[in-house]
Amino acid sequence: MSSAIVILLTGVLVAVACALLGAFLILRRMAMMVDAISHAILPGLVAGYFLAQGPDLLAGFAGAVLAAVLTVSLVEALQNTGRVGGESAIGIVFPAMFALGTFVVSKYFANVHLDADAILYGNIEFAAFDLLYINGVSLGPQSLWMMSGLCLMNLLFVGLLYKELKLATFDPGLAAALGFSPALIHYALMTVVSITTVGAFTAVGAILVVALFVVPAATAYLLTDRLPVMILLAVALGALSAVCGYAVAIVLDASVAGSIASTTGVLFGLAFLFAPQHGLVARARRLQRQRLEFAVQTLLVHLLNHEQSAEQQAESAYSHLSGELRWHPPFARRVTDAAKRATLLQQHGDMLNLTEAGRAEAEAARATDLQR
Amino acid sequence: MSNVSIDHPVVIHDLTVAYRDKPVLWDIELSIPPGKLVAIIGPNGAGKSTLIKAVLGLVPTVAGTVSLFGGSYRERRQMIGYVPQRSSVDWDFPTHALDVVMMGTYGQLGWFKRPGKAQRELALRCLEQVGMADFANRQISQLSGGQQQRVFLARALAQDAQLYFMDEPFVGVDAVTERAIVNLLRDLRARGKTVVCVHHDLDSAPEYFDWLVLLNVRLIAAGPFETTFTSENLRKTYGGTMGAAIKHIEHFEEDRLAISVQADTKRPNGH
């Protein structure tokens, strides 16, 4: 297998594994907790290596997962004291854990191969060269096995516990009342997130893995109102980020992991601006349209109120509109034009007259107004 | 006496709940008979919601026992429905009304099993019962407050319980929803279910409910409205500050007189 394909596949698999859990992390507002986990695995990794007398994969893995679960428990314990609020508890625990890790590395592992850069930024570029050997037989790149395993684990986790995760996320009170312990589900999710983080950091590094957990899911949240669609979209966006990020990294000769994480950010930015329902542009246009629609209604009701009255001449004249309704002339023109286009009123010289449809619309508007 | 506790949906004995060293509920002794619509009434901070949560095992208790149909909450879970406060969940959650109602069936399904066609149809029927069938596929954030409350009630119906606990179902709902909830409560009572509601409004309480629990950290009084909804009890519950509450009582007592007069004149002509 060529090196490029191994890197690309590794990237896609990591992105998919993370994105599968991302939707629940976003909906539980736990993005910062993932950040904490990603940093706090360092002392666990070091402790694992220390006990195994060297960089042993399994020992490091076990230590890191334990450290991550410990971090989650510590954060929760701090939050439960009621003295340190939500995010602050995270801000206290994870630097402490990370500091402990860096301290131990500098003190005891100065001569050992424990590359802090590799932990923080990953080395996906070398994914193809780190082969998995069992009984001396090469089974291909280790990273591919690892990331496939993570994907499978997370797929099974979300597949089996979808209903429980959804319920405990939406309504923990009901979940508890129905016998689905929210605490158990929370720790199960945190454990799976920890394992994924530990597995993924060798590829994309401990910091950028946060981007893969959080950003594709946050992007998907802007694009849909349905949880299953959100999960699928997050996975697709994660994979897309991996592919595009890799391509950009090759063209610009830049870090693959950094490029993948940046791509997730770019996709989020695009969705934030242009999402069909929740995007900034769609929102602004909707607001403008509503404003115009309401102004048309106001105009119709105004004309109806003064129909056949003594002051109709004065009130219904186009030239008086801006004065009567305090509208800027360009806005008054836009409103009148919109109403004319919808054949709700006709203009005879300077006079604005309601059409049949316009009268009906105005009467309906006035009626609903009274109901309120 | 043990027969009583099996007949009675809720029997609470010496229940105490505290937040650190501050008692929220203090030595509650309460037994609720079956087939009643029960209002829990008391001032803010009286522990009304806490009482429900303690019964459901959602908050730790300091002392006391709760027996539901003669068993623990764990043993009777399938018989009990719960409607949390509407504000306790995030209505921006990416799902639709029908899906929320289907969550009521999860307890019966148990771990790992996915809801299927039967659960879907049950949920649709429950939405129909609260007049929300047309909104089944509506994103929940696009529902009005009253509609959201009706979705929550439909979800409780989907739990198909014998005993329901509802935390302020009437708060912030429109007149249509208020009617819908009242009809639903009466329908549940007609089917022999017991419903326990935290309720705020003294005005509507005697009309909507037939059994009353007056609470202010301690249990002040419990029993049928006729004997329990008295100015004496309300004064004890709300302290001296509640002049308005007393007025409600006077109205209620006048109404009750009028009703009993009506009932007396009607009775001979009845079936």
Side-chain angles (χ1 to χ4, degrees), chain A residues 104-170:
Chain A
V104 175
V105 169
S106 65
K107 184 91 180 116
Y108 301 106
F109 289 91
N111 310 318
V112 183
H113 175 74
L114 192 68
D115 190 349
D117 278 359
I119 291 172
L120 291 183
Y121 309 119
N123 45 8
I124 196 171
E125 285 83 353
F126 301 113
F129 307 115
D130 210 354
L131 300 180
L132 179 69
Y133 290 97
I134 289 182
N135 295 332
V137 183
S138 163
L139 295 175
Q142 187 178 301
S143 66
L144 281 187
W145 285 100
M146 172 92 92
M147 303 314 152
S148 306
L150 294 179
C151 273
L152 192 67
M153 174 185 75
N154 293 351
L155 202 61
L156 278 175
F157 181 75
V158 173
L160 283 175
L161 288 172
Y162 174 74
K163 154 179 130 252
E164 289 77 3
L165 283 164
K166 183 173 69 178
L167 178 61
T169 302
F170 174 62

Side-chain angles (χ1 to χ4, degrees), chain A residues 96-277:
Chain A
M97 294 289 282
F98 190 68
L100 183 70
T102 47
F103 176 77
V104 175
V105 169
S106 65
K107 184 91 180 116
Y108 301 106
F109 289 91
N111 310 318
V112 183
H113 175 74
L114 192 68
D115 190 349
D117 278 359
I119 291 172
L120 291 183
Y121 309 119
N123 45 8
I124 196 171
E125 285 83 353
F126 301 113
F129 307 115
D130 210 354
L131 300 180
L132 179 69
Y133 290 97
I134 289 182
N135 295 332
V137 183
S138 163
L139 295 175
Q142 187 178 301
S143 66
L144 281 187
W145 285 100
M146 172 92 92
M147 303 314 152
S148 306
L150 294 179
C151 273
L152 192 67
M153 174 185 75
N154 293 351
L155 202 61
L156 278 175
F157 181 75
V158 173
L160 283 175
L161 288 172
Y162 174 74
K163 154 179 130 252
E164 289 77 3
L165 283 164
K166 183 173 69 178
L167 178 61
T169 302
F170 174 62
D171 193 344
L174 184 74
L178 291 180
F180 302 103
S181 161
L184 187 68
I185 292 166
H186 175 69
Y187 275 95
L189 177 63
M190 286 301 100
T191 306
V192 178
V193 166
S194 303
I195 295 173
T196 309
T197 309
V198 178
F201 88 88
T202 53
V204 292
I207 299 179
L208 297 185
V209 75
V210 180
L212 294 181
F213 270 121
V214 172
V215 187
T219 312
Y221 194 25
L222 292 171
L223 297 172
T224 177
D225 285 332
R226 293 288 187 269
L227 182 55
V229 182
M230 182 178 169
I231 296 173
L232 290 179
L233 263 178
V235 167
L237 287 164
L240 182 69
S241 303
V243 174
C244 294
Y246 179 69
V248 170
I250 296 302
V251 171
L252 299 180
D253 191 21
S255 146
V256 174
S259 174
I260 291 175
S262 304
T263 310
T264 63
V266 170
L267 290 179
F268 177 82
L270 287 175
F272 190 75
L273 289 176
F274 304 115
Q277 275 287 317

Side-chain angles (χ1 to χ4, degrees), chain B residues 198-218:
Chain B
V198 171
H199 194 63
H200 248 129
D201 183 24
L202 286 167
D203 250 334
S204 57
E207 191 198 333
Y208 294 170
F209 298 96
D210 45 28
W211 224 81
L212 174 66
V213 174
L214 285 169
L215 192 73
N216 191 352
V217 183
R218 291 159 193 272

Side-chain angles (χ1 to χ4, degrees), chain B residues 54-118:
Chain B
V55 169
L56 299 175
L58 298 178
V59 295
T61 59
V62 175
T65 57
V66 174
S67 135
L68 302 168
F69 297 107
S72 72
Y73 175 69
R74 250 167 204 283
E75 291 163 341
R76 299 290 183 263
R77 191 172 270 149
Q78 306 284 354
M79 298 170 72
I80 293 153
Y82 174 43
V83 182
Q85 276 181 30
R86 183 161 52 87
S87 58
S88 69
V89 305
D90 173 14
W91 290 94
D92 281 329
F93 195 85
T95 191
H96 51 292
L98 186 68
D99 194 45
V100 173
V101 178
M102 275 163 74
M103 288 178 190
T105 67
Y106 288 6
Q108 246 103 27
L109 284 170
W111 287 87
F112 306 117
K113 218 178 284 168
R114 292 287 194 95
K117 207 173 159 216

Side-chain angles (χ1 to χ4, degrees), chain B residues 1-73:
Chain B
M1 281 310 279
S2 64
N3 290 359
V4 173
S5 62
I6 290 178
D7 287 351
H8 280 48
V10 185
V11 177
I12 298 170
H13 182 61
D14 277 349
L15 182 73
T16 296
V17 177
Y19 179 67
R20 292 191 197 142
D21 60 345
K22 205 173 146 241
V24 183
L25 292 172
W26 192 249
D27 204 27
I28 303 290
E29 192 82 29
L30 175 65
S31 170
I32 293 175
K36 301 289 181 202
L37 300 181
V38 182
I40 303 178
I41 289 182
N44 287 334
K48 304 183 294 288
S49 294
T50 307
L51 181 60
I52 287 188
K53 285 181 182 152
V55 169
L56 299 175
L58 298 178
V59 295
T61 59
V62 175
T65 57
V66 174
S67 135
L68 302 168
F69 297 107
S72 72
Y73 175 69

